[in-house]
């Protein structure tokens, strides 16, 4: 037997780490959601669906900009030294995912804005007549439009991957230390985005397509979750303990009920019935998917901070 | 370039916490926070038990996840002794370094920056020893250059049985506990 006693009681550190509260999960969730929306919007542009004036690609950019700004504000709230936030942009640190993220976010804004300028929202177009000229300029150039589509998919992909890499590079936290984490966050970002866009889209064809895509994403998400857990369970003892936190430990009830049940399995079942025209499409399944995606970020951030090399030795 | 490290004799340490108090005084560590602390590890089952007392702090690792993840360059490896430091004026308080340290050696200073042991670099640069080492009443702590095979720390580590903390975390810590 081994018993460990410490005199340290640093705030946010002891008895277990809680340096990241609600702000980071919200930031990661919104980042993933916007990433998914960029990929969907970019795909709709790339596949020439933008020619339909009803296409949701004209609605998404303004929502993406709003959600992304909310996410960044959430990250800002988490900083302990808020006045120094500009320091992020005085350097680029290649080894730091957070530095990558800061710069990716800077690139994401103009790419979404280019998507927005393809048909600016009415309240903006009314105020700034020049926007109409820009719109015409873009629509006269199909190659430019293709590039806007590709740019959105590419930057969306980078943003989605980054939200997972931010955590998975931390070898100190066994639960996060899995190369499946970025896949999970990217696919969860796509499934929550497909769910949200499904609710917004006006075109029936697009709604059907998004519901089918979401079913695909949710199915992949089940496999990715399983692979993440299997990867941890077949690794060292600290990683096994970390996986147990989700499987049977303190975070298990929330994980199984809200993430797996409410967030993936039940909405997948409902949406499968809907796309096979057994029941009508309702917002219930998409809302469940979005809720599940948010709770997934909360659980992974909290359980990851709890998971520790020492926890495996001293339970 | 020197590579500062420590050897701490757990056979001599009595857990008096003088090192903790000295650090708090020397470095003005805010109330409720600690840059160093005492851990006691009780091993075995009665009657075969032994107690190891460890004075712990940042291990000034050779592989520094805390420096790698810092987005601003505030966390850095100092040119003197490869000591791991935080530049308070560059830190945005994102706490990535806190999460990346397997020893949980860092904390957020109430003024908003990441804080931790500095090996009392301000004293070391003046030719003095870190405060904790210099006050220890049992002289159980040794500080010096691990790259110099003739330094007292190097010789102790070479001649005595010892272990670092959590070597499996892969950070190559530079504090060794003599057992
Ligand atoms: S003990 Fe932690 S804070 Fe200190 S150098 Fe190692 S990883 Fe960094
Ligand atoms: S809290 Fe400060 S020192 Fe730590 S990673 Fe963030 S900016 Fe760097």
């Amino acid at each position: 037997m081994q018993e460990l006693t410490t005199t340290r009681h640093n705030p946010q550190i002891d008895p277990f780490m809680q340096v990241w509260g609600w702000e980071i999960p919200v930031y990661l969730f919104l980042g993933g959601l916007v990433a998914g929306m960029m990929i969907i919007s970019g795909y709709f542009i790339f596949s020439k669906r933008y020619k339909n004036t009803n296409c949701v690609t004209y609605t998404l950019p303004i929502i993406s900009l709003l959600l992304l700004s909310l996410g960044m504000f959430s990250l800002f709230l988490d900083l302990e030294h808020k006045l120094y936030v500009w320091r992020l942009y005085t350097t680029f640190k290649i080894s730091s995912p957070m530095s990558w993220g800061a710069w990716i976010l800077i690139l994401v804004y103009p790419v979404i804005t280019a998507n927005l300028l393809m048909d600016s929202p009415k309240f903006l177009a009314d105020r700034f007549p020049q926007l109409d000229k820009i719109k015409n300029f873009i629509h006269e150039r199909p190659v430019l439009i293709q590039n806007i589509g590709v740019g959105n998919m590419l930057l969306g992909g980078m943003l989605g991957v980054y939200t997972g890499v931010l955590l998975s590079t931390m070898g100190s936290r066994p639960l996060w230390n899995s190369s499946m984490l970025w896949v999970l966050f990217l696919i969860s970002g796509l499934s929550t985005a497909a769910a949200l866009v499904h609710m917004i889209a006006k075109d029936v064809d697009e709604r059907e397509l998004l519901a089918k895509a979401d079913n695909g994403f949710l199915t992949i998400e089940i496999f990715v979750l399983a692979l993440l857990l299997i990867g941890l369970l077949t690794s060292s003892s600290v990683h096994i303990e970390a996986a147990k936190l989700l499987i049977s430990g303190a975070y298990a009830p929330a994980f199984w009920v809200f993430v797996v049940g409410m967030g993936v399995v039940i909405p997948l079942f409902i949406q499968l019935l809907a796309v096979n025209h057994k029941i009508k499409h309702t917002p219930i399944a998409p809302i469940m998917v979005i809720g599940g995606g948010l709770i997934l970020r909360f659980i992974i951030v909290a359980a990851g901070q709890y998971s520790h090399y020492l926890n495996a030795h001293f339970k | 370039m020197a590579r500062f490290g420590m050897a701490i004799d757990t056979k001599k340490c009595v857990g008096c916490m003088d090192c903790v108090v000295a650090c708090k005084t020397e470095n003005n560590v805010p109330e409720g926070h600690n840059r160093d602390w005492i851990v006691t590890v009780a091993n075995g089952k009665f009657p075969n038990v032994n107690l190891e007392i460890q004075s712990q702090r940042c291990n000034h690792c050779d592989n520094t996840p805390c420096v790698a993840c810092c987005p601003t360059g505030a966390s850095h490896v100092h040119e003197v002794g490869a000591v791991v430091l935080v530049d308070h004026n560059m830190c945005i308080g994102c706490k990535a370094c806190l999460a990346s340290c397997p020893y949980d050696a860092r904390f957020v200073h109430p003024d908003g920056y990441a804080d931790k042991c500095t090996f009392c670099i301000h004293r070391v640069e003046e030719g003095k020893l870190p405060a904790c080492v210099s006050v220890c009443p049992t002289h159980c702590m040794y500080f010096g250059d691990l790259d110099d095979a003739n330094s007292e720390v190097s010789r102790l580590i070479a001649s005595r049985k010892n272990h670092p903390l959590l070597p499996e975390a892969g950070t190559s810590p530079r504090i060794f506990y003599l057992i």
Side-chain angles (χ1 to χ4, degrees):
Chain A
M1 199 191 80
Q2 217 168 23
E3 191 179 72
L4 184 121
T5 322
T6 177
T7 63
R8 190 184 65 192
H9 50 84
N10 286 339
Q12 298 183 313
I13 302 292
D14 299 302
F16 57 88
M17 178 161 284
Q18 284 173 305
V19 292
W20 286 332
W22 62 269
E23 298 91 341
I24 295 296
V26 167
Y27 163 64
L28 296 178
F29 168 72
L30 291 175
L33 182 61
V34 170
M37 284 162 65
M38 288 176 76
I39 295 173
I40 291 170
S41 186
Y43 172 73
F44 280 178
I45 297 171
F46 189 73
S47 59
K48 306 217 166 37
R49 281 180 178 270
Y50 72 90
K51 289 185 177 161
N52 169 3
T53 48
N54 236 353
C55 180
V56 75
T57 191
Y58 297 116
T59 324
L60 290 185
I62 190 82
I63 302 172
S64 296
L65 287 177
L66 273 171
L67 292 180
L68 191 64
S69 305
L70 257 178
M72 285 189 74
F73 183 63
S74 185
L75 172 70
F76 173 73
L77 287 181
D78 179 69
L79 299 183
E80 301 285 343
H81 217 165
K82 296 182 177 53
L83 289 180
Y84 280 4
V85 62
W86 53 273
R87 292 262 187 217
L88 279 173
Y89 297 105
T90 53
T91 176
F92 170 62
K93 283 269 307 285
I94 198 160
S95 62
S96 162
M98 203 170 270
S99 184
W100 275 92
W103 287 103
I104 289 175
L105 285 166
I106 287 290
L107 293 176
V108 158
Y109 273 98
V111 174
I112 302 180
T113 307
N115 187 178
L116 178 103
L117 290 174
M118 282 172 65
D119 188 13
S120 307
K122 206 170 160 329
F123 74 94
L124 281 176
D126 286 350
R127 218 163 290 173
F128 306 102
Q130 307 90 312
L131 291 175
D132 239 9
K133 279 190 204 133
I134 299 177
K135 175 182 164 181
N136 293 337
F137 177 87
I138 296 175
H139 280 273
E140 281 157 15
R141 290 165 177 77
V143 179
L144 177 61
I145 292 187
Q146 290 293 89
N147 284 331
I148 293 176
V150 173
N152 268 278
M153 287 194 280
L154 203 70
L155 263 298
M158 284 168 79
L159 179 62
V161 168
Y162 146 73
T163 61
V165 171
L166 178 69
L167 301 182
S168 69
T169 48
M170 295 200 178
S172 54
R173 309 283 142 191
L175 181 69
W176 293 341
N177 198 215
S178 158
S179 53
M180 288 311 285
L181 201 63
W182 70 262
V183 191
L184 176 65
F185 278 19
L186 179 64
I187 202 75
S188 161
L190 277 165
S191 70
T192 48
L196 183 70
V197 183
H198 169 84
M199 291 197 290
I200 304 169
K202 296 185 200 98
D203 186 281
V204 184
D205 259 9
E206 277 177 12
R207 293 171 63 104
E208 197 66 19
L209 179 70
L210 286 161
K212 282 184 187 153
D214 205 12
N215 286 349
F217 296 142
L218 291 173
T219 311
I220 298 172
E221 199 172 332
I222 294 178
F223 283 106
V224 174
L225 274 170
L227 286 173
L228 176 96
L229 293 176
I230 292 169
L232 290 170
L233 284 172
T234 50
S235 190
S236 68
S237 62
V238 287
H239 295 96
I240 294 170
E241 286 304 320
K244 282 191 192 158
L245 282 176
L246 297 185
I247 296 171
S248 54
Y251 296 89
F255 176 71
W256 290 114
V257 174
F258 294 116
V259 177
V260 180
M262 190 195 87
V264 185
V265 177
I266 299 173
L268 178 60
F269 183 68
I270 297 176
Q271 280 188 156
L272 276 175
L273 291 177
V275 295
N276 288 311
H277 307 294
K278 299 264 193 297
I279 55 170
K280 269 201 190 150
H281 282 291
T282 61
I284 295 175
I287 289 172
M288 286 173 121
V289 172
I290 295 169
L294 179 62
I295 295 169
L296 169 75
R297 305 313 194 283
F298 269 94
I299 291 179
I300 295 286
V301 170
Q305 292 183 87
Y306 183 83
S307 77
H308 190 281
Y309 270 80
L310 277 182
N311 288 353
H313 307 304
F314 304 100
K315 272 174 258 160
Chain B
M1 191 174 94
R3 204 165 53 89
F4 290 143
M6 271 188 183
I8 300 177
D9 193 340
T10 62
K11 293 263 188 264
K12 283 192 195 165
C13 177
V14 291
C16 69
M17 306 235 299
D18 254 13
C19 51
V20 178
V21 176
C23 173
K24 292 205 74 139
T25 319
E26 175 70 29
N27 297 299
N28 225 344
V29 181
E31 206 182 320
H33 298 72
N34 284 91
R35 284 187 182 185
D36 59 351
W37 56 93
I38 299 292
V39 170
T40 49
V41 185
N43 284 307
K45 216 171 180 182
F46 183 80
N48 298 317
V49 279
N50 74 58
L51 189 70
E52 187 175 316
I53 305 174
Q54 301 165 346
S55 168
Q56 293 193 5
R57 60 193 51 58
C58 164
N59 286 276
H60 296 272
C61 309
D62 278 337
N63 296 329
T64 45
C66 52
V67 172
C69 74
C70 176
T72 62
S75 276
H76 63 282
V77 178
H78 190 52
E79 68 261 17
V80 178
V83 173
V84 179
L85 297 179
V86 181
D87 184 337
H88 302 168
N89 292 321
M90 281 173 72
C91 174
I92 57 173
C94 69
K95 296 170 280 190
C97 57
L98 275 78
S100 77
C101 170
Y103 305 96
D104 297 347
R106 296 178 170 226
F107 58 87
V108 177
H109 190 283
D111 287 347
Y113 55 80
D115 201 9
K116 66 169 197 71
C117 159
T118 60
F119 266 170
C120 281
I121 192 71
H122 59 288
R123 290 172 58 95
V124 173
E125 283 178 340
E126 287 172 1
K128 297 184 204 155
L129 285 169
C132 53
V133 178
S134 67
V135 298
C136 178
T138 64
H139 297 290
C140 77
M141 282 190 249
Y142 304 87
F143 176 84
D145 182 5
L146 297 177
D147 274 352
D148 174 2
N150 289 319
S151 67
E152 196 176 19
V153 262
S154 298
R155 278 187 283 122
L156 279 165
I157 293 164
S159 61
R160 292 266 306 267
K161 245 177 119 176
N162 67 79
H163 67 88
L165 297 176
L166 299 178
E168 65 274 28
T171 59
S172 300
R174 293 207 302 256
I175 296 183
F176 298 85
Y177 293 87
L178 307 173
I179 51 175

